[in-house]
Amino acid sequence: MTENLKHSLDTISSSHSPHRPLKISKTTDDLSDDEQQQQQPESESMSQRPGIQRYLLAIEYIGTRFSGSQQQSNCRTVVGVLEEAFQNFIGQPVSIFCSSRTDAGVHALSNVCHVDVERISKRKPGEVLEPHEPAVVKRAVNHFLQKNEGDVMVIDVQSVPANFHARYKAQERTYFYRLLSGAEPLSTFEKDRAWHVPEELNLRALQEACKVLVGHHDFSSFRAAGCQAKSPIRTLDELNVSEVVSTPCFPSIMERKQNNLEEDPHAGMNKSETDPPPSFNGGVDLGFGLRKKHRCFVVTARARSFLYHQVRLLVGVLKAVGTGDLKVPDVERILNAKTVTAASPMAPACGLYLGRVKYDLP
């Protein structure tokens, strides 16, 4: 531990216990745009009190060993692990509020939450000190997180005003969903990180199906039972499918030779203009002891808010189109049916990633 971190830990008091804000039954995914702006409770603005600083945290995590992001009794959750790390840091309990709820097995490249912290002197009990710098908070909390499985990390911290709420101030959310296509068994390195689809996926058909679903619609057919949203109407600002390099990615002999030729200024004279560029498509036999790569497809869904399990239900239908079990016109039929029973089986949680939460930061 660095000297600065030791100093920060020494100057925190464990004697003060802040008021724990009331819980809210609805989540971001369950609220319409208007509801999100109107329903911020006064009780969650505890940093109005002098000496309390509200921090906005961006966090990444592997969701496999979590029972979701929200705090639950007798379950390991993202918020629970974060609150424990903060208590170890400042010596008193805190309440953390996430911008977006994620279910068990769902990952995050960047989820955002806020927390209120009061810094009390240990040497002079009752004396309120200046708030910690965001860099100190990040370094200290990550120190304690690494002692708890190491599957969640703070990637950014910013001080924000007392009324800035991670959930209600979010303007846009982006989710990614990874599918790996190919008959080969899924690599150990990809376990619980993507949906393995043994069949070939038709990229053109996937992209055409996305065009039907993007925009302002009644998404009742893509709304799981138990959704508390008052309205199934949502605006899907972006829905597309891209083929990308399957990870982890290491260059093959052909790719290494290709790179060497590009670096050699005299190589162009010997290189045929008809030589194909390096490909990340799967199915290529690389020889004994080297596994075939799967084709990797990423579905991107971007909107202000989503219905419960909306993205996974959308991906379930898209996958059926990609394999040929459904045709593009079937997607419009399912959308117009306005019942979740018309949709294909929901995609598993393991392929879903919360990619970004967008704000107009002060």
Side-chain angles (χ1 to χ4, degrees), residues 338-353:
K338 296 181 174 59
T339 173
V340 71
T341 57
S344 303
M346 184 169 64
C350 60
L352 185 60
Y353 296 73

Side-chain angles (χ1 to χ4, degrees), residues 212-348:
V212 177
L213 296 165
V214 75
H216 190 72
H217 301 290
D218 180 334
F219 282 102
S220 294
S221 296
F222 301 93
R223 177 189 193 185
C227 180
Q228 299 178 12
K230 292 181 179 179
S231 170
I233 307 296
R234 288 293 185 272
T235 300
L236 196 53
D237 296 308
E238 180 183 359
L239 185 67
N240 66 54
V241 184
S242 306
E243 185 170 5
V244 300
V245 176
S246 179
T247 56
C249 181
F250 304 100
S252 65
I253 293 176
M254 182 182 301
E255 290 166 336
R256 296 198 299 271
K257 287 181 177 179
Q258 182 74 26
N259 288 337
N260 289 338
L261 287 174
E262 290 174 353
E263 292 173 3
D264 185 350
H266 304 292
M269 296 182 293
N270 301 321
K271 181 181 175 183
S272 169
E273 293 183 358
T274 61
D275 287 347
S279 174
F280 48 70
N281 290 345
V284 178
D285 189 351
L286 301 175
F288 178 77
L290 298 174
R291 70 158 49 243
K292 294 179 181 179
K293 294 182 180 179
H294 290 86
R295 296 182 67 184
C296 183
F297 300 87
V298 175
V299 179
T300 301
R302 179 171 54 85
R304 177 158 189 157
S305 62
F306 291 89
L307 300 167
Y308 185 47
H309 286 165
Q310 182 180 351
V311 177
R312 289 167 61 188
L313 286 163
L314 288 168
V315 173
V317 168
L318 291 176
K319 176 260 184 185
V321 172
T323 58
D325 293 332
L326 292 176
K327 303 298 182 185
V328 173
D330 292 322
V331 179
E332 187 167 6
R333 173 184 57 79
I334 292 170
L335 181 64
N336 293 333
K338 296 181 174 59
T339 173
V340 71
T341 57
S344 303
M346 184 169 64

